Amino acid sequence: MNLSQQDWKAQLDQDENAVVLDVRTEDECNEGMITNAINNDIYKGQGFIYRLKELDKSKNYYVYCKAGSRSEQACAVMNQLGFENTYNLIGGFMNWNGEVFMPNEH
């Protein structure tokens, strides 16, 4: 499901079963990530699929990339794999104005 920046954040903030998934490249993630996000680069192809299969399908996944296109693809793949609740961030990280962390600082 595609959600606006405002709806995505509002729903995420209320969701105790949420996982934030960043599907950008490592280089992109080094520019900052949404707080508590885990990275799984969609460009890794089969590696991306393997890592998805390790995730708990009972969770709600809030997925984002730079602009919203790759994350929309990722949600479609996840739905095919049996994930019921995936939420794509329309406009992606480049339009995000919520909390951000730098992965290299942790």
Side-chain angles (χ1 to χ4, degrees):
M1 176 187 298
N2 291 313
L3 294 176
S4 69
Q5 297 266 332
Q6 186 175 358
D7 290 346
W8 194 89
K9 184 173 185 334
Q11 188 169 315
L12 173 62
D13 289 346
Q14 300 296 316
D15 192 341
E16 294 180 5
N17 198 33
V19 176
V20 180
L21 186 63
D22 184 327
V23 297
R24 300 175 301 157
T25 65
E26 185 178 348
D27 284 346
E28 287 174 306
C29 289
N30 288 336
E31 297 169 9
M33 295 174 70
I34 294 175
T35 302
N36 296 323
I38 58 172
N39 177 242
N40 185 7
D41 181 357
I42 194 170
Y43 287 151
K44 293 236 189 295
Q46 197 58 45
F48 173 72
I49 302 294
Y50 289 142
R51 289 200 59 200
L52 286 180
K53 289 181 175 179
E54 294 172 355
L55 298 175
D56 182 348
K57 290 187 175 73
S58 71
K59 301 282 188 186
N60 301 323
Y61 289 87
Y62 293 79
V63 188
Y64 73 94
C65 62
K66 184 174 181 177
S69 177
R70 281 174 283 171
S71 51
E72 187 171 16
Q73 288 179 311
C75 286
V77 170
M78 292 173 77
N79 293 340
Q80 289 175 342
L81 292 173
F83 291 85
E84 291 185 21
N85 299 311
T86 60
Y87 305 101
N88 177 43
L89 179 62
I90 296 172
F93 187 76
M94 65 185 197
N95 290 308
W96 179 252
N97 60 13
E99 289 184 34
V100 172
F101 76 97
M102 303 306 285
N104 292 336
E105 294 174 7
H106 293 278

